Each structure stands twice: as structure tokens, then as C-alpha cells.
Amino acid sequence: VEMVFQAVVNKTDQIVGFEILGRGNHPTLPKTPSELFRIAESVGLEIELSELFRSVGLRQAVTSNTEKFILVNMHPAELEDTKRLLSGLKNIKQTDLPFRVILEIHEQAVSNLNSVQKLSKELEHLHIGIAYDDFGAGQARLVELSDAPPDIVKFDIQLIQDIDTATPKRLKMLKILVAMVHHMGVKALAEGVSREEEAQVIKDL
């Protein structure tokens, strides 16, 4: 596998962190992570693939000497075996990392409130943060947001894409959600901003 580092920028266009994104580089397998995970899931190796992406990405982040925070992904199935997940993260934290690690939990996995709450406490001991991914893609998970608050909420690309030409109601809804997240002391992150016009609306929000 190979890794891509997607920059996370604030509203003054400063890079404040990176998200690690995995890609395949095997000559006979797909490159996109979604297709690789589809294959991995068919043979019961989705957790192993997720761990591989995470370990390779963090090793590369260490060699890059970055001090920005690093967002790493996890497969929803990993929440079913938190002992294994935490063991792997503890091994990572044994290295003297110059950056803070933030674990992304997919919206699909956040529904298991008890598991997320327990995981959140364990991660706090390891000084690892939590981000809720794809917020707004399905159910908003407002109960989980209040009872197991993350460090970051990532708003799904479907909410963000073409926000500069969105209907007034959609824009108002996003504005209310962002204000709510900020009011809870959680950072709001827009996913998939690819045009200056989108970026300007997001900055204003």
C-alpha cells in the first residue's frame, strides 16, 4: 500500500493537520480503498487491511517530521474488538510521536454508544483524540455527539459539495449544525472542499 496525506486547513488557509488516506499499489489489485476493503471484507481481512493502512501511514508521518495533528481511519468492524484496536494504538504510542493522533470513527460505527464511550475513555489515557467521520451522511447521531463528544466532527462531503450554490434551506441547516457543534466545544471540519467558492462559504460559516 501507499499513503496520501490530505491537508487540513483552517479559515486563514494555514495547514493545521493531515488526514492519512490509503491507496493500493499491488499490480493485480485495485488502487482505491473502497474496492480494496470490499475484497478484504469478502475474505474476512478488513481489520488487517485497516491496520496496515494505519501503521504504514503513521510510520511515514514520523519520518516526515511533521508536528501537525494526524487523522487516521479505522474500519467499523474494529469497534467490535476494541482490545485489539487499543493494543495496536498503544504500540504506536510507544514511539515518541511529534504529533497528536486523532482516530476517525465512521458515522456507521458511532451508533454503538457504549463501545464509543468506553473507547473514548481509553483513548483519552493514550492522549489520542476522536473525530466523527461523515457526519450528516445518514443519521445525525446527536445523542452520541452529546454523550460521547469527539474532538472533531467531519461534515460529510454531500453536505459540503457545491455549498456555494446550495438552496437557502440547506445552507441554513449546515449553519445551525456548525453552530451547534462549536457550542459544544467541538471543532467542525468540512470534508472535500475542492473549489475556492465552496471554501469561502465554509470559512464564513
Side-chain angles (χ1 to χ4, degrees), residues 71 102-106 129-133 150-154:
L71 285 161
I102 298 178
L103 182 68
E104 290 192 35
I105 301 180
H106 192 273
I130 285 183
Y132 287 170
D133 197 12
D151 298 271
I152 295 173
V153 163
K154 286 181 66 183

Side-chain angles (χ1 to χ4, degrees), residues 17 39 178:
I39 295 170
V178 169

